[in-house]
């Protein structure tokens, strides 16, 4: 971790922590608190005793707060040199590891699972360099390459066995046109991940309804492979029968004991502004179906920065949990114990 960071960086992290208004936020020019900021500060400071108890538990030394989902990518200088972006996927947000460490320190987050970003596609060299530089701070989730020639299977094995990645992400949008995650290559990748003890994170950005049959088929055929559903499978609070059916199908996957859930990127699964209180309905039903020990918080840094800031992303969890009286014990599981148990041996200081 950087030994220190500039006063400007500190001001930036504070500015982007939870209560800045969307209209006033910029990445380079912090602005003073507004009336809206004060109102939101009051909102969070007037929490119930349940929220306070949960927050106290989350800040205790009995467990580490761990972010189960974030990304890092090259700085402009790095991108111009050793770690170029994939053509057409150039970053528009700052997402370098130095900035991430500043934000994590500000928010009191001890460690994280770095998910290989689309910005670097299947070139894992930047993330690998970060994992080697901060072995007790980060573990990695590589990106599955579903190329028809099967070359991604060998790459997956190399990244897990040689480079020590702990998980792999399936992005169905990267499969060849008209192909499914259950094709021959997809099955081989999924089976290999299970063989190597690497959970498969599945990102269904187009909604779970489009992929539920594939996910169920993989879970039934390869029960040894752990599955993690990113961002609550992109389910928002249901407002009609179709959305309720989709959310119910997501909840029904809890019948597979190897399936876990990321309560992550709340800004993607809400219909409201910060602090995303409507996601409490999703969380309550997810806890009832999966149990808190199969649910984990994730920020989706750096995409979360212009939404509510990194610290705001963490603080929103305690606020939302208080709305549905989540116990202090369950909150600990969501904020760190679940992901730490799933990836045993990670985030251990030498």
């Amino acid at each position: 971790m950087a030994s220190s960071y500039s006063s400007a960086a500190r001001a930036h992290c504070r500015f982007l922590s939870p209560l800045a208004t969307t209209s006033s936020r910029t990445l380079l020019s912090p602005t003073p608190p507004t009336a809206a900021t004060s109102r939101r500060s009051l909102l969070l400071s007037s929490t119930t005793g349940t929220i306070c108890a949960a927050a106290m538990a989350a800040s205790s030394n009995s467990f580490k707060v761990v972010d189960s989902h974030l990304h890092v990518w090259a700085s402009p200088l790095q991108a111009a040199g050793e770690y170029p972006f994939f053509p057409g996927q150039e970053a528009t947000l700052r997402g370098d590891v130095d900035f991430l460490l500043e934000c994590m320190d500000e928010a009191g987050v001890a460690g994280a699972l770095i998910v290989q970003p689309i910005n670097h596609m299947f070139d894992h060299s930047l993330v690998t360099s970060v994992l080697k530089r901060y072995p007790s701070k980060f573990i990695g989730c590589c990106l599955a390459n579903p190329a028809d020639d099967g070359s991604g299977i060998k790459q997956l094995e190399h990244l897990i066995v040689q480079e020590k990645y702990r998980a792999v992400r399936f992005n169905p949008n990267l499969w060849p046109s008209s192909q499914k995650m259950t094709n021959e290559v997809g099955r081989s990748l999924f089976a290999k991940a299970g063989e190597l003890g690497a959970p498969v994170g599945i990102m269904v950005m187009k909604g779970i309804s489009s992929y539920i049959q594939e996910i169920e088929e993989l879970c039934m055929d390869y029960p040894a492979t752990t599955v993690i559903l990113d961002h609550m499978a992109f389910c928002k609070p249901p407002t009609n029968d179709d959305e309720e059916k989709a959310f119910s199908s997501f909840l029904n996957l809890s019948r597979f004991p190897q399936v876990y859930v990321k309560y992550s990127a709340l800004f993607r699964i809400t219909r409201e502004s910060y602090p995303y209180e409507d996601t409490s309905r999703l969380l309550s039903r997810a806890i009832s179906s999966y149990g808190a020990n199969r649910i984990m918080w994730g920020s989706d840094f750096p995409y979360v920065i212009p939404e509510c800031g990194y610290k705001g992303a963490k603080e929103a969890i305690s606020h939302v949990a208080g709305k549905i009286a989540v116990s202090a014990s369950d909150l600990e599981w969501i904020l760190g114990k679940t992901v730490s148990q799933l990836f045993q041996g990670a985030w251990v200081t030498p």
Side-chain angles (χ1 to χ4, degrees), residues 63-342:
F63 80 107
K64 293 181 178 180
V65 176
V66 177
D67 189 338
S68 74
H69 193 104
L70 53 74
H71 310 278
V72 294
W73 50 66
S75 66
L77 183 61
Q78 290 174 317
E82 190 175 359
Y83 305 111
F85 292 118
F86 188 82
Q89 296 289 345
E90 293 78 10
T92 57
L93 292 173
R94 184 182 177 188
D96 58 274
V97 69
D98 291 335
F99 181 40
L100 170 61
L101 289 169
E102 293 164 7
C103 291
M104 290 175 66
D105 184 62
E106 176 83 6
V109 175
L113 173 66
I114 300 177
V115 179
Q116 169 71 7
I118 197 72
N119 311 74
H120 293 289
M121 198 60 74
F122 304 119
D123 179 359
H124 290 71
S125 56
L126 182 278
V127 171
T128 299
S129 72
V130 172
L131 299 180
K132 290 181 177 179
R133 188 178 175 188
Y134 302 100
S136 63
K137 194 81 171 177
F138 302 116
I139 63 172
C141 174
C142 60
L143 181 61
N145 180 355
D148 283 332
D149 62 6
S151 58
I153 301 169
K154 183 175 291 186
Q155 183 189 37
L156 172 64
E157 187 164 14
H158 169 78
L159 289 168
I160 294 174
V161 175
Q162 301 298 323
E163 304 297 352
K164 309 304 180 185
Y165 281 73
R166 298 289 301 271
V168 57
R169 180 178 233 192
F170 272 32
N171 179 347
N173 294 328
L174 297 178
W175 259 249
S177 179
S178 76
Q179 295 291 308
K180 296 182 178 181
M181 292 184 289
T182 49
N183 68 0
E184 183 179 353
V185 170
R187 285 176 165 272
S188 296
L189 287 165
F190 197 84
K192 177 60 70 174
E195 176 188 322
L196 297 173
V200 174
I202 302 179
M203 181 183 71
V204 291
M205 187 169 281
K206 294 180 180 179
I208 188 132
S209 297
S210 299
Y211 306 105
I212 185 65
Q213 291 183 343
E214 296 169 58
I215 295 171
E216 289 181 331
E217 187 174 327
L218 290 170
C219 287
M220 287 188 289
D221 292 349
Y222 305 96
T225 302
T226 298
V227 172
I228 305 173
L229 301 172
D230 293 349
H231 311 328
M232 297 282 280
F234 286 83
C235 293
K236 293 186 177 183
T239 58
N240 56 50
D241 290 343
D242 287 342
E243 291 172 353
E244 177 60 37
K245 181 179 179 181
F247 188 53
S248 294
S249 71
F250 156 74
L251 296 175
N252 195 37
L253 288 172
S254 65
R255 72 187 189 276
F256 298 106
Q258 71 271 30
V259 176
Y260 289 72
V261 173
K262 287 182 181 177
Y263 179 56
S264 51
L266 270 60
F267 63 94
R268 297 188 188 276
I269 60 174
T270 185
R271 300 183 189 279
E272 299 179 357
S273 58
Y274 187 86
Y276 317 129
E277 289 183 4
D278 62 334
T279 67
S280 63
R281 295 153 51 195
L282 304 177
L283 180 60
S284 177
R285 294 176 66 181
I287 292 174
S288 295
S289 295
Y290 287 90
N293 63 343
R294 290 164 66 189
I295 300 172
M296 60 197 90
W297 165 69
S299 68
D300 204 17
F301 173 95
Y303 297 109
V304 73
I305 295 299
E307 301 295 334
C308 66
Y310 187 81
K311 187 177 181 182
K314 178 197 167 191
E315 291 177 343
I317 303 302
S318 293
H319 180 82
V320 171
K323 291 294 179 180
I324 52 174
V326 173
S327 70
S329 175
D330 281 354
L331 186 60
E332 286 188 357
W333 281 103
I334 294 167
L335 281 173
K337 290 176 69 174
T338 296
V339 68
S340 295
Q341 184 179 78
L342 187 59

